[in-house]
Amino acid sequence: MTGADYLLPFRTKLRSMRTESFGADPAGARMERIRRSPHFVDGAFQNPVGARTRPSGSTVEFAKIYFHKEQRARRTPTGTVPVHATTLADLATPPASGLRLTWMGHSSVLAEIDGRRILFDPVWGERCSPFPFAGPKRLHPAPLPLAALGSVDVVVISHDHYDHLDLPTIRALAGTDTVFAVPLGVGAHLERWGVPPNRMRELDWNETATVAGISLTATPARHFCGRGLRNQQHTLWASWAVTGPEHRIYHSGDTGYFPGFRDIGAEHGPFDATMIQIGAYSEYWPDIHMTPAEGMRAHLDLQGGRPHGVLLPIHWGTFNLAPHAWAEPGEWTRDAGEEAGQTVAFPRPGEPFEPAGKLPTAAWWRGVSQPIAHPWRRPRGAESVSETTSRGDMDLAGER
């Protein structure tokens, strides 16, 4: 190290040590555009409703729960997750109805809509981590190799967390002709990983891009961003409303519940299908991930307050990211759907289905899960989804 090296700002030194998987920080014209965003206030992107983005409560108590031997055993399947065996063959024929969804695990979904193919939050890597040797590891393999998936018209990214934006997956897709639709600021990561700027559509909330006749609108979400130890909130997070000539779908990304779902539904719905985050929730971070009950309420809000379309649960079953039992999100969502009178699809990873056709509804996880209690079930006649109470929310400016 030279004497001049000691004069470099400490933050600059840290950045120089970051591996490529950490991505890149927005700069130049991209950062200027971020500063002009109405959602960028006091040096950071803000949530539509205040949210605590750091775990609340006692760290010691959380550690006791998270690392308790019996609790840890509940968070993984007891056997091999039954990944659908014929995904590639099933996708060879176009959907008869014009809309087909294939859940690849976690939040990764291939949507075939009105003759186009859209891939949401593709994660084919073994770990959602910046390091290949540490971090949450897949609980089941990807249903098929990424290279076997074939051409994709648009890759949609909800935000830059590792379980939604995966370096090896993006690198592989960068070598294709696909277009990337991403929230404002996320393009900096993609550029570093080899995606040409002319193949990116980088959007602020409520902005729309049209690709191959499909409209993609970045809609608000209640979450946060970041791939490093010090997250500056300079990349936006989003949910997505997608509209084709005949069908409408919605992908929630990661989000806590907030009243804005009603506005999104009024503007862009109702939807033939929604893909809603219902896993990795905890009382330690109640503002940034939804429980299944909150996910059901979000779906109903998006549909104008009544059961409509099909809900596909996402963000569960693939990575161990929270203290709840591995199969609890599936069980809870199943109960919430029954109580609300809402149709819910429960495909195995890689199992295509058409929302207008026969739906996969079997509780496939029960064969590889410890028994799950149902403490969330409400007495018959009670309201199916409870109102969210105030939690003393803090906005992101107070969490920097």
Side-chain angles (χ1 to χ4, degrees), residues 161-286:
H161 286 159
Y162 289 95
D163 56 324
H164 296 260
L165 182 63
D166 179 56
L167 167 59
T169 303
I170 297 300
R171 252 218 195 110
L173 291 166
T176 70
D177 293 329
T178 189
V179 172
F180 291 79
V182 302
L184 189 55
V186 174
H189 300 309
L190 271 60
E191 275 197 61
R192 185 179 185 190
W193 298 339
V195 178
N198 64 356
R199 283 186 21 224
M200 283 190 280
R201 308 294 183 267
E202 201 166 346
L203 306 181
D204 201 346
W205 287 342
N206 302 313
E207 290 183 342
T208 300
T210 300
V211 180
I214 303 293
S215 295
L216 305 108
T217 302
T219 46
R222 191 185 186 202
H223 200 55
F224 68 113
C225 66
R227 296 176 73 84
L229 294 177
R230 188 178 187 276
N231 297 329
Q232 298 182 7
Q233 308 304 317
H234 286 179
T235 64
L236 190 57
W237 48 96
S239 58
W240 289 86
V242 177
T243 303
E246 302 293 336
H247 295 92
R248 296 170 182 261
I249 56 177
Y250 172 85
H251 189 285
S252 72
D254 278 3
T255 181
Y257 179 82
F258 70 110
F261 290 115
R262 291 191 290 269
D263 299 328
I264 295 170
E267 179 72 18
H268 302 284
F271 299 98
D272 298 283
T274 68
M275 296 155 272
I276 302 289
Q277 172 262 305
I278 51 87
Y281 48 84
S282 172
E283 62 184 5
Y284 291 94
W285 49 83

Side-chain angles (χ1 to χ4, degrees), residues 102-164:
T102 307
W103 179 52
M104 300 295 180
H106 201 57
S107 295
S108 303
V109 181
L110 175 67
E112 297 168 276
I113 175 171
D114 299 337
R116 303 302 180 187
R117 306 177 95 217
I118 300 173
L119 188 57
F120 292 94
D121 283 358
V123 174
W124 258 253
E126 282 300 306
R127 296 183 186 271
C128 50
S129 165
F131 309 109
F133 54 84
K137 192 174 182 179
R138 299 185 71 95
L139 300 175
H140 66 79
L144 77 169
L146 183 62
L149 192 60
S151 63
V152 173
D153 294 286
V154 189
V155 171
V156 176
I157 304 296
S158 64
H159 63 297
D160 69 358
H161 286 159
Y162 289 95
D163 56 324
H164 296 260

Side-chain angles (χ1 to χ4, degrees), residues 46 51-55 231 233 393-400:
Q46 306 292 320
R52 290 166 293 179
T53 61
R54 297 173 184 171
N231 297 329
Q233 308 304 317
D393 294 336
M394 179 184 297
D395 67 19
L396 275 173
E399 272 298 300
R400 294 203 309 279

Side-chain angles (χ1 to χ4, degrees), residues 11-58:
R11 187 183 299 174
T12 300
K13 293 179 183 178
L14 283 179
R15 286 176 180 170
S16 68
M17 297 168 60
R18 296 198 313 183
T19 63
E20 192 172 17
S21 61
F22 283 98
D25 295 324
R30 178 176 281 112
M31 193 64 213
E32 288 302 314
R33 186 182 169 201
I34 288 170
R35 291 192 180 101
R36 293 194 299 270
S37 168
H39 310 110
F40 191 78
V41 181
D42 295 331
F45 278 115
Q46 306 292 320
N47 268 302
V49 175
R52 290 166 293 179
T53 61
R54 297 173 184 171
S56 60
S58 166

